[in-house]
Amino acid sequence: MTLNIESRNNYNDGYNNYGEDASRIDALGKSFPAFFFLIAILVCFTTMRRMVEEKRIEMGTLRALGYTKGEVMREFLIYSVGTALTGTIIGSYLGLVTLPRIIFRAYTANFNFSTLKLALHPGLVGLGLLLALLSTVLASWLAARQSLKLVPAELMLPKAPVSGSRILLERVTPIWRKLSFSYKVTARNLFRYKGRMLMTIIGVAGATALMITGFGIRDSLNTIVNRQFSQISQYDLVAVYNPNATQTAVKKAQQSVTDASTVKRQTAVYFENVYATTANSDSRESVSLMVPKTPSQLDQYIKLRDVSSGKRSQLSNHGAIVSQKLANYRVFRWAIPLNLRIPMVLLIKLKWQVLRQCMPVTMST
């Protein structure tokens, strides 16, 4: 007696597929939050510094009335801490309760689960609170500390604008002369407030990167179907035999397909769904294994091309052709319960007239 010890990934397709979906979400969850945190930190840092600068006259008035520097600064620090705590509480609820439910419903549409068990992640919440405090409290403290170094009489006056200077573009005389006055002022202001310019550029770049990533993922997924079923798979139908059928029944079925007037051509292949695993992971990669009865006819139904050069890959009798993903999978174990006595599948290419009759027709008046 031989006993095979296997994990749930080896015999439960639903468990394995859901695990792969969870891994994809986990990969996205490790990259996207970094962009969101970066943009949020830049926005908070800029907002808090500008708020302190706008309260300059009020700070000078309080100092003139006898308030200490610590009492004046405490107002901004309390506001900053309250903002950070409020944002962390709302964000934690959205990230730990609301978004998991939405993602769970989207990814379990084809699975049967009774309830969703939510888990509290105090480490992530603490990290988010720390970043929020750094981006608000630190910005307020730095701006207020710099302003409180001045005497109250100077604080009660509006802040003098930053002195301008010649920029590199002014040295390019042909271009500088053609610019209007408003463009010249804008160009000079960009370099007068370098911190704001840098934060704006980083914020816009991060938001643009997120948008391009989202549209790129959508466009990549939309092209998979067209590439698979227009450029690679050329057959229209797959006829599967009963595995317990006799040779007589198989020949009769083949003859009925051959004699059909709607069939342009057909070929027989051995077909089996197998899987491969790796040593470093419990996930299982499903593989559709096809062995053509006549290798020379396979190119009429499935276009095998090199992914880099686009040249035709010729199937020989001394090996197999695998996809690039499977080749990078570093396979160490195959599970192939094959029975190669008779071809089990017919790949069928229909005539164009039949396909045209099956296509939906839109009529307009």
Side-chain angles (χ1 to χ4, degrees), residues 90-105:
I90 297 176
S92 299
Y93 179 81
L94 293 176
L96 297 176
V97 179
T98 305
L99 289 179
R101 294 182 184 276
I102 296 175
I103 296 175
F104 181 79
R105 285 196 297 265

Side-chain angles (χ1 to χ4, degrees), residues 49-58:
R49 286 184 63 89
R50 296 193 67 175
M51 182 197 71
V52 174
E53 292 176 0
E54 292 175 356
K55 298 288 185 178
R56 173 188 175 92
I57 298 178
E58 295 182 13

Side-chain angles (χ1 to χ4, degrees), residues 16-197:
N16 182 67
N17 293 336
Y18 189 76
E20 292 180 353
D21 292 340
S23 299
R24 297 187 185 99
I25 291 294
D26 182 65
L28 293 176
K30 292 179 179 178
S31 56
F32 276 78
F35 287 99
F36 287 117
F37 266 115
L38 177 61
I39 296 174
I41 289 173
L42 291 176
V43 172
C44 293
F45 202 88
T46 304
T47 302
M48 300 307 296
R49 286 184 63 89
R50 296 193 67 175
M51 182 197 71
V52 174
E53 292 176 0
E54 292 175 356
K55 298 288 185 178
R56 173 188 175 92
I57 298 178
E58 295 182 13
M59 294 170 63
T61 303
L62 292 175
R63 289 285 292 128
L65 292 175
Y67 287 90
T68 63
K69 294 181 180 180
E71 291 174 337
V72 175
M73 185 178 293
R74 184 173 58 190
E75 174 188 358
F76 300 103
L77 296 182
I78 293 175
Y79 179 83
S80 303
V81 172
T83 303
L85 287 175
T86 304
T88 301
I89 293 173
I90 297 176
S92 299
Y93 179 81
L94 293 176
L96 297 176
V97 179
T98 305
L99 289 179
R101 294 182 184 276
I102 296 175
I103 296 175
F104 181 79
R105 285 196 297 265
Y107 273 83
T108 57
N110 298 324
F111 302 93
N112 294 322
F113 289 93
S114 57
T115 57
L116 171 63
K117 295 183 178 180
L118 300 175
L120 181 64
H121 300 277
L124 297 178
V125 175
L127 178 61
L129 178 60
L130 178 61
L131 293 175
L133 291 175
L134 288 176
S135 59
T136 55
V137 177
L138 181 61
S140 300
W141 181 79
L142 290 176
R145 178 173 173 270
Q146 183 178 4
S147 298
L148 291 174
K149 290 180 179 180
L150 304 176
V151 296
E154 188 176 354
L155 272 177
M156 296 177 66
L157 297 175
K159 186 177 180 180
V162 181
S163 59
S165 60
R166 291 176 60 87
I167 61 177
L168 181 62
L169 186 60
E170 294 186 44
R171 303 181 186 278
V172 186
T173 307
I175 299 178
W176 184 255
R177 286 179 177 177
K178 294 182 179 180
L179 295 178
S180 63
F181 176 78
S182 60
Y183 285 152
K184 292 179 179 179
V185 173
T186 302
R188 285 177 174 173
N189 287 336
L190 287 176
F191 292 92
R192 287 175 64 188
Y193 306 99
K194 297 181 178 62
R196 297 179 185 178
M197 179 187 68

Side-chain angles (χ1 to χ4, degrees), residues 286-337:
S286 299
V287 181
S288 297
L289 179 62
M290 287 188 178
V291 183
K293 184 178 181 181
T294 309
S296 59
Q297 297 180 1
L298 183 64
D299 190 69
Q300 299 178 4
Y301 304 90
I302 301 177
K303 302 295 184 181
L304 302 176
R305 299 292 184 269
D306 184 83
V307 67
S308 301
S309 62
K311 296 181 179 179
R312 176 183 176 183
S313 298
Q314 187 67 35
L315 186 63
S316 65
N317 296 326
H318 304 286
I321 297 178
V322 299
S323 64
Q324 184 183 21
K325 180 181 179 180
L326 186 59
N328 296 332
Y329 203 64
R330 299 175 62 184
V331 178
F332 85 101
R333 179 190 174 193
W334 289 84
I336 310 178

